[in-house]
Amino acid sequence: MDYFIELFFGGLTRGSIYALIALGYTMVYGIIGLINFAHGEIYMIGAFTSFIVATVLSIYGFPLLAIVVIAGLAAAVWSSAYGYTVEKLAYRPLRNAPRLAPLISAIGMSIFLQNYVLLAQTSDFLPFPALIPEFEFMEPVAHIVGSSDLTILVTTAFVMLGLTFLIKFTKIGKAMRATAQDKTMAVLVGINVDRVISATFVIGSALAAIGGMLIASHIGQINFYIGFIAGIKAFTAAVLGGIGSIPGAVLGSLVLGLTESFATGYVSSDYEDVFAFSLLVLILIFKPSGLLGKAETKKV
Amino acid sequence: MFPVKELKRSALISLWFAFLTFPIMVIKVDPIERTVNWRWDNLFFVALGSFVVSILAKVYLIRKERRAGLKKVSKAVTEPFVQRILREPRFLYPLSIAVLIFAISFPFFFSTYQTNIMTTALMYVVLGLGLNIVVGVAGLLDLGYVAFYAVGAYSYALLNLHFNMGFWAVLPIGGLFAAFLGILLGFPVLRLRGDYLAIVTLGFGEIIRLILENWNEFSKGPSGIANIPRPGFFGMEMNFDSGITYIYYIVVALVVFTIFVVNRLQSSRLGRAWLALREDEIACQAMGIDKTKTKLIAFSLGAFWAGLVGVIFAAKTTFVNPASFTFLESAIILSIVVLGGMGSIVGVIFGALILILMPEYLRALSEYRMLAFGGILVVMMVFKPDGIISNVRRSYQFKKHSSTAE
């Protein structure tokens, strides 16, 4: 039973990290219908920024709490800046281009950012400083659920609550929902669509950066290549839940995380990714618009 | 000529990039030695570089606007130069014969190394043309195309290993295996719309690669299969150089064959059905086209070419392992199709030659080449989203009045 609970929490942790990344995919897709392949790279840059800042601060002897806060903020700020810049340079000029052009541009951007970090930093795996302390009250259950698992779960939950609030009750959230529903109509009622799209990229990137910092500190090492596989998994999760739907992205991520965790725990760890993708294929065959996606009926 | 306001803007842009690249370009930490290396000179280069680039981009945009203003009337009528050549048979035929002669004489003038690179580029031409059927003509976004390529390569490697079958016997078998897999994959995913299809094909490509990587008894895992024989020519023994040249000719022949088939297909009933499917599925169905059958044929035909090239790939490198079939490979093939111009055969050929030869000749830039590759993809898409040579739609026109009409 302990093993089951351990796997269950492992899956939840994994799923919440996927969720933080998947939200960026699903929000961008919901608004401009683009698979933002560079999003995984934004996540990687967030992890790298927090790694650099945290290491510098720890060398200069800052207390742990200050390191965590500053590194997290720096990761969010710089990732958002990258997300904003990528959108402006690589996607905005292609707003009215053929459907595949922005996708290729995104793939190019992803290759570019990966190699940029590779050249500016290193291709080695770097040890990430442990930012999350071992809590004392967790001691009795530490062999099943680690402190970092708990921290990730709690942080993710808070971030999700904040995001829900932002989307439901603020002005920019309303504008985002309107733009996602109908871009032309949104322009007609006086919404600055370009600004809304930029805001979407900024929010999505900040979420990915938080995810990047949490997972890097959980696993304990980073590399320029981590963004790729995490990006694909998170995108899978977003599609699984029904792309464009925010609760769908969270649900899809949790389902994906749990599936992977149980599959690796009970079957074989070699085929972890095979299970993830097989699950995706199966769900899409039986429910082509994802778990919570709306089935689109196209009117002629 | 250049307003001060724009200079100010460029200065702001360069400041922004200096801020943006600050943590990653400037700070380099060594977490084990616990030292920080501040590389302030990088900051200066980034700022200067982005300043210059932003000014150049602005100049380009101003010029383009001016030209667009001047040519507003004439632009609608004049066709791009390349397209005019492609349309006229009296230019097209001599040109293609010249290109063919050049291709045939290539190994005589260039070294084995160059021939080898050219072989790779031509293999990508065939891959691009195959994917072009699926993505460019039929409009089905396939991100897992490399899976079929892997199936071709592994069917030669394994059939040779276990049953000692030769290259020529496996070549059609590899193609058919891939085509069969295309149908197998096609069935479940046909109900999906555009982007769902993309992610499922991506997942499928990864599944194939992961199976090859992990199923050691079947595929020998990540270490791959070595010592695959090169193709034979009626039992003739060949040394390394002539072996390379021989494969080169096989690939040239395959390219010619592919171009012929794809070109004929595009103007066939099936090809027109694909185009209709790409433009509007519902209207297409209403016209009595069997949607499922048409899509499946597109999938399996596209896969067929990938299978053929896969067999040649295994024979050329004499070694296969799963690392050759990553998603990046699919992305590169897709970029060839989109960069070249979707649905356009000449475009795809150009796209493949540029994208594959460029990193090879950019080797002087060594570690910067993938960076340049990514950057060029973005820049190309931003400035020419239709691809280098966009497709020429077959149309009828009165020759005599073509200059005055409209």
Side-chain angles (χ1 to χ4, degrees), chain A:
Chain A
M1 195 61 199
D2 273 6
Y3 190 51
F4 177 84
I5 296 173
E6 191 184 333
L7 288 178
F8 180 75
F9 275 98
L12 278 188
T13 311
R14 216 183 253 246
S16 31
I17 297 293
Y18 289 153
L20 285 173
I21 312 171
L23 281 169
Y25 275 113
T26 215
M27 289 196 308
V28 166
Y29 189 90
I31 286 186
I32 54 175
L34 162 76
I35 304 175
N36 180 11
F37 259 103
H39 191 63
E41 278 16 278
I42 300 284
Y43 151 86
M44 180 267 293
I45 284 176
F48 248 98
T49 311
S50 67
F51 159 74
I52 290 169
V53 173
T55 315
V56 169
L57 291 180
S58 77
I59 288 173
Y60 291 136
F62 279 71
L64 187 65
L65 189 67
I67 293 178
V68 173
V69 172
I70 297 175
L73 277 179
V77 166
W78 262 287
S79 273
S80 311
Y82 274 97
Y84 175 80
T85 315
V86 165
E87 193 269 332
K88 208 148 190 196
L89 285 183
Y91 306 146
R92 186 166 297 179
L94 291 170
R95 208 54 67 70
N96 298 315
R99 204 173 59 92
L100 280 182
L103 186 73
I104 297 298
S105 182
I107 291 174
M109 210 59 198
S110 158
I111 297 174
F112 181 86
L113 288 177
Q114 250 178 42
N115 285 280
Y116 156 70
V117 173
L118 166 71
L119 292 172
Q121 294 287 322
T122 170
S123 60
D124 302 332
F125 273 95
L126 297 165
F128 197 92
L131 295 181
I132 303 163
E134 294 294 325
F135 300 122
E136 265 174 43
F137 63 88
M138 289 292 287
E139 203 111 313
V141 287
H143 61 288
I144 304 175
V145 188
S147 297
S148 61
D149 289 280
L150 185 79
T151 317
I152 289 176
L153 286 177
V154 172
T155 317
T156 312
F158 270 110
V159 169
M160 298 292 162
L161 277 180
L163 185 72
T164 315
F165 178 78
L166 184 92
I167 301 249
K168 281 231 158 112
F169 301 111
T170 61
K171 205 170 170 191
I172 186 76
K174 231 182 220 171
M176 278 163 75
R177 279 182 291 148
T179 313
Q181 266 180 14
D182 191 332
K183 225 189 287 175
T184 324
M185 225 17 235
V187 173
L188 287 179
V189 295
I191 291 170
N192 186 345
V193 170
D194 277 342
R195 193 176 293 165
V196 170
I197 292 171
S198 287
T200 313
F201 272 86
V202 165
I203 296 168
S205 306
L207 293 179
I210 294 169
M213 179 177 148
L214 289 174
I215 192 74
S217 139
H218 182 61
I219 293 175
Q221 58 177 8
I222 57 167
N223 171 263
F224 75 98
Y225 200 62
I226 54 167
F228 177 72
I229 194 72
I232 288 196
K233 289 282 189 61
F235 182 64
T236 305
V239 173
L240 198 62
I243 193 152
S245 143
I246 289 176
V250 179
L251 180 69
S253 304
L254 292 180
V255 168
L256 188 73
L258 288 174
T259 311
E260 277 186 12
S261 181
F262 285 126
T264 48
Y266 287 121
V267 190
S268 152
S269 62
D270 289 344
Y271 289 97
E272 177 190 322
D273 297 350
V274 175
F275 288 117
F277 290 123
S278 310
L279 175 77
L280 174 81
V281 173
L282 280 179
I283 288 197
L284 286 186
I285 290 169
F286 293 109
K287 204 165 177 324
S289 48
L291 291 174
L292 294 185
K294 270 175 261 159
E296 224 170 89
T297 39
K298 201 175 164 194
K299 290 180 193 133
V300 188

Side-chain angles (χ1 to χ4, degrees), chain A residues 29 52 58 78 81-82 85 94 98 100 105 108 112 115-116 120-121 228 235 239 243 270 273 284-285 289, chain B residues 16 19-21 24 27-28 34 39 135 188 191 195-196 199-200 210 214 327 342 370-371 374 378 381 386:
Chain A
Y29 189 90
I52 290 169
S58 77
W78 262 287
Y82 274 97
T85 315
L94 291 170
L100 280 182
S105 182
F112 181 86
N115 285 280
Y116 156 70
Q121 294 287 322
F228 177 72
F235 182 64
V239 173
I243 193 152
D270 289 344
D273 297 350
L284 286 186
I285 290 169
S289 48
Chain B
W16 171 253
F19 163 76
L20 192 67
T21 52
I24 288 181
I27 311 173
K28 185 163 172 149
R34 297 189 70 76
R39 301 171 293 180
V135 180
R191 299 202 306 148
D195 300 297
Y196 289 92
I199 188 71
V200 170
L210 289 164
N214 291 310
F327 168 70
M342 290 226 294
M370 282 318 276
L371 189 81
V378 176
M381 279 301 112
D386 282 320

Side-chain angles (χ1 to χ4, degrees), chain B residues 129-313:
Chain B
L129 287 172
L131 186 62
N132 190 30
I133 297 177
V134 187
V135 180
V137 183
L140 306 164
L141 180 52
D142 185 350
L143 291 181
Y145 192 61
V146 79
F148 306 123
Y149 185 38
V151 166
Y154 266 90
S155 41
Y156 181 38
L158 290 172
L159 285 175
N160 187 274
L161 188 73
H162 296 301
F163 305 107
N164 214 7
M165 284 170 79
F167 172 80
W168 291 106
V170 180
L171 190 62
I173 296 179
L176 289 177
F177 269 162
F180 178 67
L181 201 70
I183 296 179
L184 219 60
L185 168 71
F187 260 118
V189 303
L190 284 178
R191 299 202 306 148
L192 303 174
R193 287 184 297 113
D195 300 297
Y196 289 92
L197 181 73
I199 188 71
V200 170
T201 49
L202 193 161
F204 174 73
E206 286 294 298
I207 290 176
I208 294 278
R209 186 179 65 82
L210 289 164
I211 288 177
L212 290 176
E213 206 157 89
N214 291 310
W215 194 1
N216 287 324
E217 302 80 41
F218 174 69
S219 66
K220 296 199 167 182
S223 52
I225 300 169
N227 293 327
I228 303 167
R230 293 168 190 282
F233 187 65
F234 299 112
M236 213 167 85
E237 283 294 314
M238 267 182 284
N239 63 11
F240 181 73
D241 276 10
S242 55
I244 299 259
T245 316
Y246 181 47
I247 292 188
Y248 174 77
Y249 283 124
I250 294 176
V251 177
V252 169
L254 184 64
V255 169
V256 173
F257 176 62
T258 314
I259 293 174
F260 175 73
V261 172
V262 173
N263 192 26
R264 296 306 294 156
L265 266 179
Q266 278 194 0
S267 12
S268 72
R269 188 185 148 82
L270 188 63
R272 280 175 285 132
W274 283 334
L275 282 180
L277 201 66
R278 179 183 77 183
E279 298 301 330
D280 193 327
E281 255 183 49
I282 295 170
C284 168
Q285 218 170 359
M287 298 305 289
I289 291 169
D290 185 346
K291 217 169 75 175
T292 320
K293 207 174 90 188
T294 317
K295 277 187 181 175
L296 274 183
I297 294 175
F299 243 95
S300 56
L301 262 179
F304 178 74
W305 297 115
L308 289 187
V309 184
V311 174
I312 294 179
F313 171 78

Side-chain angles (χ1 to χ4, degrees), chain B residues 66-173:
Chain B
R66 240 179 242 164
R67 226 177 304 152
L70 283 176
K71 282 191 176 175
K72 214 165 203 176
V73 196
S74 57
K75 207 177 180 185
V77 186
T78 47
E79 239 175 329
F81 174 68
V82 190
Q83 299 215 346
R84 229 163 36 210
I85 289 185
L86 291 182
R87 205 188 282 272
E88 285 278 343
R90 72 197 155 103
F91 294 133
L92 183 60
Y93 290 144
L95 200 69
S96 9
I97 289 170
V99 170
L100 191 64
I101 288 172
F102 174 73
I104 288 174
S105 56
F106 189 85
F108 296 108
F109 295 117
F110 294 94
S111 64
T112 313
Y113 170 69
Q114 303 285 354
T115 312
N116 205 10
I117 292 176
M118 206 51 177
T119 311
T120 313
L122 290 179
M123 277 162 55
Y124 277 90
V125 169
V126 180
L127 285 174
L129 287 172
L131 186 62
N132 190 30
I133 297 177
V134 187
V135 180
V137 183
L140 306 164
L141 180 52
D142 185 350
L143 291 181
Y145 192 61
V146 79
F148 306 123
Y149 185 38
V151 166
Y154 266 90
S155 41
Y156 181 38
L158 290 172
L159 285 175
N160 187 274
L161 188 73
H162 296 301
F163 305 107
N164 214 7
M165 284 170 79
F167 172 80
W168 291 106
V170 180
L171 190 62
I173 296 179

